[in-house]
Amino acid sequence: MKFKHKLIISLVFGLIGLMVAIQFQANRKPDVRDTRDLWEVRSQLQEEQKLQQNLYQQIRDAEQTIDQYDATSESEKVQTLKDSLEKLRSEAGLTDLQQPGIIIDISPIFVEKEIGQTYPSIAPDLLNRLINELNTYGATDIQVANERIVDVTPVRSVNGETYVNNHPLPSVPLKIKVLAANPEKLKDYMEVSRSKDDFAIENLDMELRYEKQVHLTGYQEPVQIKSMRVLEETGEE
């Protein structure tokens, strides 16, 4: 097998290994009883199916890269590999992004001036519904507080607290940042969405605003690949 083909195959398997490592890390959680309802299970299944589709698409993109590889110069080949890697990192949510988007401010509707008042929290099923609705209406990237939402992000209840990416979600008020191809259209959809009613029932207000520059940080969970082996075909060329 030619060296350049070995390099491409190594890259393909390396990227797939990276995605698997992210899924393994994100699914690590404290040893607690699973309290998810049927709606949450269905949502998790949809997320797993989405992850599988993304992996298949990445494999197809890598195969196209291999087909185009022989027709380019050496410098173009290196740049092609770099572009492919950066594209996959961006799609996986591992890179910072800054572009037009919307910001959703979540705050309590009724605030009593009492010392030690407990503000309502965002339940996992409520947050999952909002994320699914945002995705349905065209969201491409989402960040809840400081947590970047990726294909393998777990949103669950742990000891009565909502955890995102295995970190406890801060109490309201908090911000949800959303990027989309058409953020103004997304804002219009969300202004009349079911989520606003669902949040209001829980004494939570959703205020949406369009921003020319919304900054999202990359996925913060550590990704460690201890070892990787690429099986190479042997034989005469």
Side-chain angles (χ1 to χ4, degrees):
M1 180 183 293
K2 295 181 179 180
F3 174 76
K4 57 188 177 183
H5 289 167
K6 293 180 182 179
L7 180 61
I8 291 293
I9 292 175
S10 298
L11 176 64
V12 171
F13 282 98
L15 293 173
I16 294 174
L18 177 63
M19 294 299 296
V20 172
I22 294 174
Q23 183 176 20
F24 175 77
Q25 183 68 27
N27 283 321
R28 292 179 60 189
K29 57 183 182 296
D31 187 14
V32 296
R33 183 171 60 90
D34 192 346
T35 59
R36 295 180 299 172
D37 58 19
L38 181 58
W39 192 95
E40 290 177 289
V41 173
R42 288 177 177 174
S43 297
Q44 184 65 32
L45 178 59
Q46 291 176 350
E47 292 299 321
E48 295 296 336
Q49 291 173 338
K50 182 179 177 181
L51 171 64
Q52 185 181 41
Q53 292 173 355
N54 286 341
L55 289 175
Y56 285 153
Q57 182 60 49
Q58 291 164 16
I59 293 174
R60 287 194 292 268
D61 290 343
E63 289 174 343
Q64 292 178 359
T65 301
I66 294 175
D67 293 338
Q68 298 171 358
Y69 198 76
D70 289 334
T72 60
S73 65
E74 290 300 323
S75 60
E76 290 174 330
K77 290 174 184 177
V78 173
Q79 189 60 46
T80 297
L81 293 177
K82 290 181 178 179
D83 292 343
S84 298
L85 179 58
E86 188 61 25
K87 178 182 177 182
L88 290 177
R89 283 176 52 81
S90 178
E91 291 176 350
L94 302 179
T95 59
D96 289 5
L97 294 175
Q98 185 167 325
Q99 62 188 60
I102 65 173
I103 294 179
I104 305 175
D105 290 300
I106 307 296
S107 60
I109 294 178
F110 301 106
V111 178
E112 299 178 2
K113 295 182 178 180
E114 295 182 1
I115 299 176
Q117 177 186 4
T118 302
Y119 293 107
S121 59
I122 304 178
D125 61 336
L126 188 62
L127 181 57
N128 271 318
R129 291 178 191 180
L130 173 60
I131 292 172
N132 287 339
E133 194 161 30
L134 287 168
N135 288 328
T136 299
Y137 290 141
T140 56
D141 299 275
I142 302 172
Q143 181 170 314
V144 179
N146 296 321
E147 301 298 330
R148 182 72 173 270
I149 305 299
V150 297
D151 290 337
V152 295
T153 291
V155 179
R156 56 172 64 88
S157 177
V158 179
N159 297 326
E161 291 188 77
T162 299
Y163 273 60
V164 179
N165 287 333
N166 299 319
H167 298 136
L169 192 67
S171 59
V172 296
L174 59 79
K175 299 182 185 297
I176 299 176
K177 301 177 181 179
V178 187
L179 303 183
N182 191 335
E184 293 177 302
K185 185 176 181 180
L186 173 62
K187 177 180 177 293
D188 292 338
Y189 278 131
M190 295 306 298
E191 288 285 5
V192 294
S193 69
R194 178 181 173 183
S195 289
K196 293 202 71 171
D197 296 332
D198 291 340
F199 272 69
I201 292 174
E202 299 299 326
N203 191 28
L204 292 170
D205 179 56
M206 286 177 52
E207 182 179 342
L208 298 98
R209 67 179 189 273
Y210 169 80
E211 295 285 346
K212 291 183 178 179
Q213 292 296 324
V214 177
H215 178 254
L216 272 63
T217 58
Y219 183 69
Q220 298 298 311
E221 289 292 310
V223 179
Q224 297 180 353
I225 303 177
K226 295 182 178 179
S227 62
M228 183 181 301
R229 178 179 300 174
V230 179
L231 298 180
E232 299 179 354
E233 180 183 351
T234 59
E236 298 291 331
E237 291 188 4

